[in-house]
Amino acid sequence: MPKIKVHQFAMPVRDISVITMSGDTSYLGMIQKGLLNNKKMVVPDKPLRAFFQDYITSQYKAQYTPGGKSLLYIIKYLRIGERSGNVRENAFVCLKADVYVSEDQQQYQLACSVDTLMKWAGMDVTHAHNRNIEEAIDLIAITADNQIADATKQTKESILNKLHEWFAQPAFVLKAFRQGVYLTYDDFLHNNPQTNGTMQKDGRNLVMLDSLNHPISNFWGFSYQGVFYKKVRNTFIPFIRYGRNFEMVATEIDLDPVMSFGTELQLIAEESPFGPLQPYATGIDLYNGELTL
């Protein structure tokens, strides 16, 4: 049974089909369990596309009408997380999705895009993730129902081909990253470091130097010994590719002394709308290179 009252479409809807095009579909995120808040991986009980399709069909099919529009949900990313404080907890859902509308199930128009980070607060948020995911999915319906599809018409095959082209970029398929400095996220996607760079410790920070030993101040990240690091303010966060996703890891670089890199970095730093219980990042947004759940 749903834990929310689902959106009632104003426009007539014939059916809703779902396609997942995220980097990794094997799990939904991390939760905290026990008094020590040990992190546990959340795994769906069926393939993610079927997980979403079965839920959406069961909750919205009563609204379907033969003369309505066909909706195509492209779920690019849906990940949950949580953060505990002294007396309360915050739960989060990060959602990225596109919705296409078709009159004839042949030609589709982009109706809307959803890109949001949602938050719920409570005493024990772990047991509320099902409801939170339902609210996130319902937000897709609400947003699509309030948009006018005036974009260029295209086939479903064309839509999917563009998404497959995105995931065909080197960063998603290569076996090893070239060692060096990525000035931009686009450089990273194309495995195209612009300079080799030299690492040097500056107190507790790592400084990257160019061939003239000048500090490189503005760059996206670097790759070193099979691990790539995203620059975040004055530190670097290590990642490895997992499937077609990028997940945080803990690692070390053999400097003098050895420099350790952990994973306890907040997703939203100085200007957070969520107060002190900001969500921790676990990966990189596949579409813009920023930190995400």
Side-chain angles (χ1 to χ4, degrees), residues 198-202 205-209 213 255 259:
T198 301
M199 290 174 285
Q200 177 177 296
K201 289 194 71 173
D202 181 11
N205 297 323
L206 180 65
V207 176
M208 192 67 66
L209 306 176
N213 284 331
L255 295 172
M259 193 167 188

Side-chain angles (χ1 to χ4, degrees), residues 5 121 141 143 149 188 207 255 275:
K5 183 178 180 180
T143 308
F188 168 74
V207 176
L255 295 172

Side-chain angles (χ1 to χ4, degrees), residues 140-288:
I140 301 175
I142 294 169
T143 308
D145 206 15
N146 286 283
Q147 303 295 316
I148 299 176
D150 58 359
T152 302
K153 292 184 177 181
Q154 53 188 315
T155 63
K156 182 188 293 188
E157 181 181 17
S158 175
I159 294 168
L160 297 181
N161 282 343
K162 291 177 182 177
L163 291 169
H164 286 302
E165 286 175 4
W166 178 264
F167 284 108
Q169 295 181 95
F172 299 110
V173 297
L174 54 77
K175 293 183 178 180
F177 290 95
R178 293 172 56 196
Q179 192 155 303
V181 177
Y182 305 108
L183 297 182
T184 66
Y185 182 54
D186 189 66
D187 288 340
F188 168 74
L189 289 174
H190 290 87
N191 192 27
N192 185 31
Q194 297 299 307
T195 180
N196 285 333
T198 301
M199 290 174 285
Q200 177 177 296
K201 289 194 71 173
D202 181 11
R204 303 176 70 177
N205 297 323
L206 180 65
V207 176
M208 192 67 66
L209 306 176
D210 63 18
S211 58
L212 299 177
N213 284 331
H214 295 152
I216 307 172
S217 57
N218 296 316
F219 60 101
W220 185 85
F222 69 95
S223 176
Y224 181 73
Q225 294 185 345
V227 178
F228 64 90
Y229 301 75
K230 174 173 168 50
K231 186 178 187 296
V232 181
R233 296 175 295 282
N234 294 321
T235 189
F236 296 90
I237 309 302
F239 292 86
I240 58 171
R241 196 179 72 217
Y242 182 77
R244 293 184 304 189
N245 215 37
F246 307 123
E247 303 289 338
M248 275 185 171
V249 294
T251 188
E252 295 180 338
I253 291 181
D254 188 15
L255 295 172
D256 187 17
V258 170
M259 193 167 188
S260 298
F261 297 83
T263 61
E264 294 298 300
L265 183 80
Q266 293 177 348
L267 169 61
I268 300 173
E270 291 85 358
E271 299 179 4
S272 167
F274 300 127
L277 294 185
Q278 302 173 33
Y280 285 125
T282 63
I284 294 175
D285 187 312
L286 307 182
Y287 300 96
N288 62 29

Side-chain angles (χ1 to χ4, degrees), residues 10-38:
M11 66 174 165
V13 174
R14 177 178 178 176
D15 55 48
I16 303 174
S17 57
V18 181
I19 294 175
T20 54
M21 289 296 293
S22 59
D24 174 43
T25 60
S26 64
Y27 76 105
L28 288 171
M30 305 294 289
I31 61 173
Q32 299 176 147
K33 299 287 287 184
L35 294 176
L36 299 179
N37 290 323
N38 295 318

Side-chain angles (χ1 to χ4, degrees), residues 18-131:
V18 181
I19 294 175
T20 54
M21 289 296 293
S22 59
D24 174 43
T25 60
S26 64
Y27 76 105
L28 288 171
M30 305 294 289
I31 61 173
Q32 299 176 147
K33 299 287 287 184
L35 294 176
L36 299 179
N37 290 323
N38 295 318
K39 292 180 173 62
K40 301 292 184 181
M41 183 179 293
V42 180
V43 179
D45 59 3
K46 61 180 68 175
L48 204 54
R49 179 175 179 178
F51 176 86
F52 290 130
Q53 183 67 73
D54 290 352
Y55 171 78
I56 289 171
T57 299
S58 66
Q59 302 311 327
Y60 297 91
K61 66 180 179 181
Q63 302 183 49
Y64 293 173
T65 177
K69 299 178 181 179
S70 292
L71 303 185
L72 173 63
Y73 287 10
I74 307 291
I75 298 182
K76 296 179 175 180
Y77 196 85
L78 191 147
R79 186 66 62 88
I80 65 173
E82 59 186 63
R83 174 87 184 275
S84 295
N86 293 330
V87 295
R88 68 184 180 91
E89 301 175 343
N90 279 355
F92 304 92
V93 174
C94 181
L95 171 67
K96 288 179 178 289
D98 295 333
V99 180
Y100 292 84
V101 177
S102 177
E103 302 279 356
D104 57 6
Q105 296 184 313
Q106 299 296 320
Q107 297 290 319
Y108 290 80
Q109 292 175 283
L110 179 65
C112 69
S113 294
V114 178
D115 187 347
T116 187
L117 180 63
M118 305 170 71
K119 186 207 81 169
W120 295 262
M123 298 299 293
D124 182 9
V125 298
T126 299
H127 298 291
H129 284 299
N130 284 343
R131 180 207 64 204

